[in-house]
Amino acid sequence: MSRQNWTDVNGVKVNNEVLASLQAQGLFIIMGEDGYPWMAYIPRVCPSCGSLSCAHPRAPRRMMWLHHYAWDFYAVRGLRPERKEGDVIHHQRCDKLDARIKRLGRGNPTSHARAHNSKARRYSPRERHDLGGLRYRPPQPARVVSHPELVGLPAPVSRTPPRVPTLRERVLGVEWKLAQRVDALWGEMKGLDSGESIPRTTAKSKWRDSKTRKLGLKMPRYCCTEGEAAFVLLLIRNGFDLERVAADVGEPVELLAPFYQRPSVNVALQRWREHRRLPVFAPMTWQERKP
């Protein structure tokens, strides 16, 4: 009797060897917004204060897709061909949560799209509507029911439950609330700005490279919005204590923690620590204001 060589981690299927390698490096698996499992880690250095031991919440940072790591893990050992630039690692059964090596395949974008489209073209309309081997029957029109006793009566009032806002909508609402205070905060704290020049980092021409476009990467937005700038100013004024900032804003901590994951906020905090420069902000666009 063969032993099972894979483990189910919160619904994600992964080989035992790959899971042991992740645990040895201190990595763990999280789910991304795209529906794929990712490898992630908790940063040792706090992104807000730069300390190794502090009480600030540290959001996990994603590294790469789990199925890419699984393929590279076996490619290094010579059990799979090496993944080159432009290759696509495909889930052979179209199950994003199955990262076992026997369910992965390597191909180009054309073959990857063809594999996904073949599933939709597998059956004809006759076969898709054939239930249990019965004869094909086209959709029938709806049956008309007459209720003359209801004529003249008012229509019933729909009792739909109120819509619950999503987490993204709630975070955007907090950002809009913070944007209302950015002018007052800037007027109080503009004397703390050192005015020191910040050295230039990566040139914009690097993001126009053909290899960068092929990977689908876009140049990150380093300039803060009004809400992000107000969040950074409140962090500086409250000694990088997120709970004091939440009490000042009047919102829970879990709605302010996602701001740490934005590149513009991390850049603003880094410029404050290194150059004592306050964040530069731009007015929010109508797409950012719309929840």
Side-chain angles (χ1 to χ4, degrees), residues 268-286:
L269 293 174
Q270 181 181 2
R271 289 176 176 177
W272 169 256
R273 290 193 299 266
E274 297 179 359
H275 307 284
R276 281 299 184 267
R277 294 299 305 271
L278 295 179
V280 179
F281 60 91
M284 296 177 63
T285 61
W286 68 270

Side-chain angles (χ1 to χ4, degrees), residues 19-96:
L19 183 61
S21 176
L22 291 175
Q23 294 174 350
Q25 302 178 55
L27 305 175
F28 55 92
I29 302 173
I30 62 174
M31 289 300 301
E33 299 84 356
D34 52 1
Y36 287 94
W38 287 71
M39 297 165 41
Y41 69 98
I42 300 295
R44 295 180 63 252
V45 179
C46 180
S48 58
C49 63
S51 175
L52 293 176
S53 58
C54 64
H56 297 160
R58 303 182 186 180
R61 294 186 178 179
R62 296 180 294 183
M63 296 180 59
M64 63 185 303
W65 281 321
L66 178 62
H67 58 285
H68 281 188
Y69 178 81
W71 185 273
D72 295 342
F73 178 83
Y74 289 98
V76 172
R77 288 154 179 77
L79 301 178
R80 289 295 186 275
E82 184 180 355
R83 179 169 60 92
K84 301 179 181 179
E85 182 180 358
D87 289 347
V88 178
I89 305 302
H90 170 65
H91 294 83
Q92 295 182 355
R93 293 194 175 182
C94 298
D95 185 5
K96 298 180 180 180

Side-chain angles (χ1 to χ4, degrees), residues 190-222:
K190 62 182 180 181
L192 301 179
D193 192 277
S194 64
E196 178 183 348
S197 60
I198 301 175
R200 189 174 181 178
T201 56
T202 307
K204 292 185 178 180
S205 59
K206 294 293 184 179
W207 295 95
R208 302 191 185 100
D209 188 76
S210 59
K211 297 181 180 179
T212 305
R213 293 198 303 268
K214 186 181 297 183
L215 293 175
L217 300 178
K218 296 182 180 179
M219 183 176 179
R221 174 177 53 81
Y222 292 132

Side-chain angles (χ1 to χ4, degrees), residues 7-286:
T7 306
D8 190 324
V9 182
N10 297 329
V12 180
K13 298 178 182 178
V14 60
N15 294 97
N16 294 335
E17 299 175 347
V18 177
L19 183 61
S21 176
L22 291 175
Q23 294 174 350
Q25 302 178 55
L27 305 175
F28 55 92
I29 302 173
I30 62 174
M31 289 300 301
E33 299 84 356
D34 52 1
Y36 287 94
W38 287 71
M39 297 165 41
Y41 69 98
I42 300 295
R44 295 180 63 252
V45 179
C46 180
S48 58
C49 63
S51 175
L52 293 176
S53 58
C54 64
H56 297 160
R58 303 182 186 180
R61 294 186 178 179
R62 296 180 294 183
M63 296 180 59
M64 63 185 303
W65 281 321
L66 178 62
H67 58 285
H68 281 188
Y69 178 81
W71 185 273
D72 295 342
F73 178 83
Y74 289 98
V76 172
R77 288 154 179 77
L79 301 178
R80 289 295 186 275
E82 184 180 355
R83 179 169 60 92
K84 301 179 181 179
E85 182 180 358
D87 289 347
V88 178
I89 305 302
H90 170 65
H91 294 83
Q92 295 182 355
R93 293 194 175 182
C94 298
D95 185 5
K96 298 180 180 180
L97 302 182
D98 193 349
R100 294 177 293 178
I101 190 62
K102 68 178 183 179
R103 301 300 185 203
L104 301 178
R106 183 176 66 98
N108 52 37
T110 303
S111 62
H112 184 226
R114 188 183 299 116
H116 278 281
N117 295 335
S118 63
K119 183 179 181 181
R121 298 194 302 263
R122 185 175 301 173
Y123 303 107
S124 64
R126 179 184 295 272
E127 293 171 327
R128 286 200 296 266
H129 292 85
D130 187 8
L131 304 177
L134 303 178
R135 293 183 59 185
Y136 173 74
R137 183 184 181 187
Q140 300 297 312
R143 186 167 60 95
V144 178
V145 180
S146 177
H147 290 284
E149 67 277 6
L150 300 180
V151 176
L153 297 179
V157 180
S158 60
R159 300 182 179 274
T160 56
R163 180 178 175 274
V164 179
T166 62
L167 178 60
R168 177 179 177 275
E169 293 174 347
R170 296 173 63 190
V171 172
L172 288 179
V174 174
E175 184 175 0
W176 176 245
K177 183 178 179 181
L178 288 170
Q180 308 302 316
R181 303 180 53 184
V182 65
D183 293 332
L185 291 172
W186 181 262
E188 297 173 4
M189 303 178 61
K190 62 182 180 181
L192 301 179
D193 192 277
S194 64
E196 178 183 348
S197 60
I198 301 175
R200 189 174 181 178
T201 56
T202 307
K204 292 185 178 180
S205 59
K206 294 293 184 179
W207 295 95
R208 302 191 185 100
D209 188 76
S210 59
K211 297 181 180 179
T212 305
R213 293 198 303 268
K214 186 181 297 183
L215 293 175
L217 300 178
K218 296 182 180 179
M219 183 176 179
R221 174 177 53 81
Y222 292 132
C223 181
C224 295
T225 62
E226 294 175 334
E228 294 171 348
F231 174 73
V232 175
L233 292 174
L234 286 174
L235 278 178
I236 297 173
R237 191 172 71 173
N238 292 279
F240 296 95
D241 191 342
L242 190 60
E243 294 184 355
R244 291 172 57 187
V245 174
D248 191 347
V249 179
E251 297 290 344
V253 177
E254 56 267 16
L255 296 182
L256 295 173
F259 286 95
Y260 278 115
Q261 302 179 8
R262 301 188 180 183
S264 54
V265 174
N266 292 329
V267 170
L269 293 174
Q270 181 181 2
R271 289 176 176 177
W272 169 256
R273 290 193 299 266
E274 297 179 359
H275 307 284
R276 281 299 184 267
R277 294 299 305 271
L278 295 179
V280 179
F281 60 91
M284 296 177 63
T285 61
W286 68 270

